[in-house]
Amino acid sequence: MKGSVTRSFATARRVLRQLRHDPRTVGLMIIVPCVLETLLRLIYTHRRQAFDQAGAPLLAIFPLMSVFLVTSIALLRERISGTLERLLTTPLGRHELLAGYAIAFGLLATAQAVIVSALTLGPLGLRVRGPSELVVVLAIAVALLGMGLGLLASAFARSEFQVVQFLPATVLPQLLLCGLLVARQRMPAALYGISDALPMSYAVDGMHHLTSKVSADGAILGDIAIVLAFAVGSLVLGAATVKRRTS
Amino acid sequence: MSEPEPKWTVAVPAVSARDVSVRRGEIQALRHVSFEVPPGRLTGLLGPSGSGKSTLIRAIAGVQAAVEGRLTVLGFEPGRAGLRRWLGYMAQSSSVYEDLTVLENLRYFAEIRGAQLGGLLERVGLREQTHQLVRRLSGGQRARVSLAIALLGSPRLLLLDEPTVGLDPLLRRELWRLFGELAGEGATLLISSHVMEEARHCEDLLLLRDGRLLAQLTPDELVAQTSTTDMDEAFVRLIERA
């Protein structure tokens, strides 16, 4: 058990060290969401309500995209370079490896969420009626979801060209259906049903619950729980794609 | 965790293969291979590229799918958790993190193996590159980072897939000396190479061709049986006789 924890944290430190050697990626992950939220605020200069409506869901979408991309490419590199195969010949277990990744990317998503929501809720003046810590909690849940989906994508891609195409393939349909453009209740019944089965819908619902006047903490926690359940599900599926024996 | 722990003893062969075959897609990579690797010796796995050397090493390391026949390491199925701490594996691709320094790579693998670095970087001649990013190293230097990782924690069974390929002759000689030292310290080494000349450095030889085991013998026996000291020629004569 102790060895298991040691190996997971060693892996998390290794992943974070790799990111430290790549400050541009980390910088982009933090700065791009800040710029986009600022841009949104400027677009809606005279429509504060609209900014509240659109700005909050974006806070949940950034960690999904960022963590999806870094996970899918990091895992694809491990598969292609042979480091994954080598790790699987050592005492490191598959679940310890993934726990290490989850710790590292969870921390990264936390940093991103804290900085971006500090800017958005502070100087940009996004009005959140629920507890603002929950914005960060939801962002971490979404980040873990992004990791699970990225892990799955890396298993079905043979190259970095392919793996980045999985981002629009998996995230954009969810973006269209999550209620950001049209409220989910006003969609055709079939699409509403599909949106009910997609994790992003609950992330965005959660953010809407945080900004709406009739804020209900219970509903937000429910949304967070559903996003976490999807995250765990995708991580379990993703873990099954990390095979010790390959041809 | 009450499964029996693999024990390292001289009584059990380090690796035992009985009628082992591996199919990789359309290719029959190994065909009914049988042999035993004695413990504490330096065994060379020689054969041209495409002869099945890497597939065999991967099967012993426990990462090759679709292995048929009976293959055991210390009497156990390859790849099981209790065996992995005894094993040091170096693949043909360098399998190191390019975006980390040499030291960061070694530290990570040392942590997950619960091993000390000791004087490993000196032993593979990479002291000056300690803090360099692997991405900036030459191919030969990367191979040595990979070798150093395989040597972490003094594994009892070392599986090294073409560890000397592309290295300059002086370094190659030093590495073979190092492999000899490790065998002297009690480790079992299985080292693959497509350069027949390297057979001279080994105590035992496994000769592979087209996924078949041509022969298992010592370098002296090879010379005696083929009446030539030219290792390439000896290999050719063995093939012709088979």
Side-chain angles (χ1 to χ4, degrees):
Chain A
M1 183 62 206
K2 183 166 167 286
S4 191
V5 172
T6 308
R7 290 189 290 268
S8 296
F9 276 95
T11 303
R13 278 196 299 278
R14 185 264 295 176
V15 173
L16 291 172
R17 268 193 207 110
Q18 286 178 294
L19 288 169
R20 205 177 58 194
H21 284 294
D22 189 0
R24 199 174 302 173
T25 295
V26 178
L28 284 168
M29 282 176 68
I30 306 282
I31 291 165
V32 169
C34 290
V35 170
L36 291 177
E37 287 283 3
T38 308
L39 199 57
L40 197 67
R41 178 73 186 85
L42 294 174
I43 292 170
Y44 288 130
T45 304
H46 304 293
R47 294 174 60 198
R48 286 293 298 275
Q49 192 95 36
F51 177 61
D52 291 345
Q53 283 293 308
L58 277 184
L59 287 175
I61 290 164
F62 294 134
L64 182 74
M65 298 211 286
S66 311
V67 175
F68 178 96
L69 282 175
V70 290
T71 307
S72 57
I73 291 180
L75 255 300
L76 185 74
R77 281 188 192 163
E78 294 240 36
R79 289 178 203 269
I80 291 176
S81 72
T83 49
L84 180 63
E85 178 176 287
R86 165 169 250 159
L87 287 174
L88 294 175
T89 67
T90 71
L92 182 77
R94 293 183 306 152
H95 296 97
E96 294 161 8
L97 173 71
L98 296 180
Y101 267 100
I103 295 165
F105 292 151
L107 283 173
L108 194 65
T110 308
Q112 186 194 50
V114 166
I115 293 169
V116 179
S117 52
L119 171 79
T120 311
L121 307 183
L124 299 183
L126 185 95
R127 287 166 298 189
V128 171
R129 286 170 180 84
S132 54
E133 301 84 41
L134 287 183
V135 174
V136 177
V137 175
L138 185 57
I140 294 170
V142 171
L144 293 177
L145 175 67
M147 184 184 148
L149 295 176
L151 195 60
L152 279 171
S154 78
F156 294 104
R158 291 283 161 272
S159 68
E160 286 169 347
F161 279 152
Q162 287 177 14
V163 85
V164 291
Q165 296 303 328
F166 276 101
L167 178 71
T170 54
V171 175
L172 284 188
Q174 295 198 63
L175 208 60
L176 296 180
L177 294 171
C178 70
L180 188 65
L181 303 179
V182 176
R184 294 206 289 134
Q185 295 85 338
R186 277 191 269 148
M187 290 176 191
L191 293 183
Y192 184 55
I194 295 172
S195 79
D196 258 349
L198 299 174
M200 179 89 90
S201 307
Y202 299 92
V204 169
D205 278 358
M207 282 301 180
H208 279 149
H209 282 129
L210 274 168
T211 49
S212 69
K213 286 199 176 72
V214 279
S215 164
D217 284 5
I220 301 158
L221 292 176
D223 292 325
I224 291 175
I226 293 172
V227 173
L228 270 180
F230 272 107
V232 170
S234 64
L235 283 170
V236 169
L237 278 179
T241 69
V242 179
K243 292 199 165 62
R244 184 177 308 285
R245 291 169 186 277
T246 53
S247 61
Chain B
M1 288 285 154
S2 59
E3 57 181 30
E5 275 287 287
K7 289 276 186 301
W8 193 270
T9 70
V10 286
V12 186
V15 180
S16 165
R18 285 278 162 276
D19 206 23
V20 169
S21 297
V22 176
R23 195 172 180 83
R24 301 180 66 184
E26 296 296 295
I27 302 151
Q28 190 70 44
L30 287 176
R31 302 162 196 262
H32 309 287
V33 172
S34 298
F35 62 87
E36 282 187 358
V37 174
R41 286 171 74 89
L42 173 44
T43 302
L45 178 58
L46 283 104
S49 68
S51 59
K53 302 186 298 295
S54 297
T55 304
L56 182 55
I57 285 187
R58 293 184 71 240
I60 298 168
V63 292
Q64 176 64 51
V67 178
E68 289 166 30
R70 183 171 159 74
L71 180 66
T72 56
V73 177
L74 301 174
F76 289 89
E77 188 198 349
R80 63 182 289 167
L83 273 179
R84 281 186 260 138
R85 68 196 167 101
W86 297 112
L87 180 79
Y89 167 57
M90 174 188 178
Q92 214 169 350
S93 66
S94 54
S95 311
V96 287
Y97 296 101
E98 298 211 335
D99 46 359
L100 292 180
T101 67
V102 172
L103 185 62
E104 287 169 337
N105 264 289
L106 270 120
R107 264 208 199 121
Y108 172 51
F109 284 98
E111 280 173 344
I112 59 175
R113 298 198 70 112
Q116 301 295 318
L117 285 190
L120 259 183
L121 282 173
E122 289 79 2
R123 237 175 158 177
V124 298
L126 281 176
R127 228 181 86 86
E128 284 172 28
Q129 286 76 27
T130 306
H131 296 290
Q132 276 188 34
L133 282 177
V134 168
R135 191 189 300 141
R136 307 210 192 291
L137 300 182
S138 72
Q141 289 169 331
R142 282 179 207 207
R144 278 179 283 152
V145 179
S146 181
L147 176 63
I149 291 169
L151 298 181
L152 277 167
S154 311
R156 305 305 306 264
L157 176 60
L158 274 163
L159 303 171
L160 309 178
D161 199 356
E162 303 261 9
T164 57
V165 71
L167 298 185
D168 85 85
L170 200 66
L171 195 59
R172 228 165 33 220
R173 195 175 65 190
E174 273 172 37
L175 286 182
W176 279 107
R177 189 178 300 154
L178 169 62
F179 299 150
E181 281 171 26
L182 293 168
E185 292 165 16
T188 304
L189 292 90
L190 184 62
I191 300 179
S192 80
S193 176
H194 65 272
V195 181
M196 286 304 298
E197 275 308 302
E198 305 215 289
R200 293 179 195 287
H201 304 284
C202 305
E203 295 174 274
D204 280 295
L205 298 174
L206 292 167
L207 302 180
L208 273 186
R209 185 166 183 267
D210 272 342
R212 286 196 181 83
L213 188 67
L214 270 185
Q216 177 171 21
L217 33 58
T218 66
D220 287 344
E221 287 167 349
L222 178 64
V223 169
Q225 282 185 22
T226 57
S227 337
T228 173
T229 52
D230 179 327
M231 290 294 170
D232 261 325
E233 180 60 25
F235 195 67
V236 170
R237 289 186 188 175
L238 265 188
I239 295 167
E240 284 171 348
R241 194 187 304 163

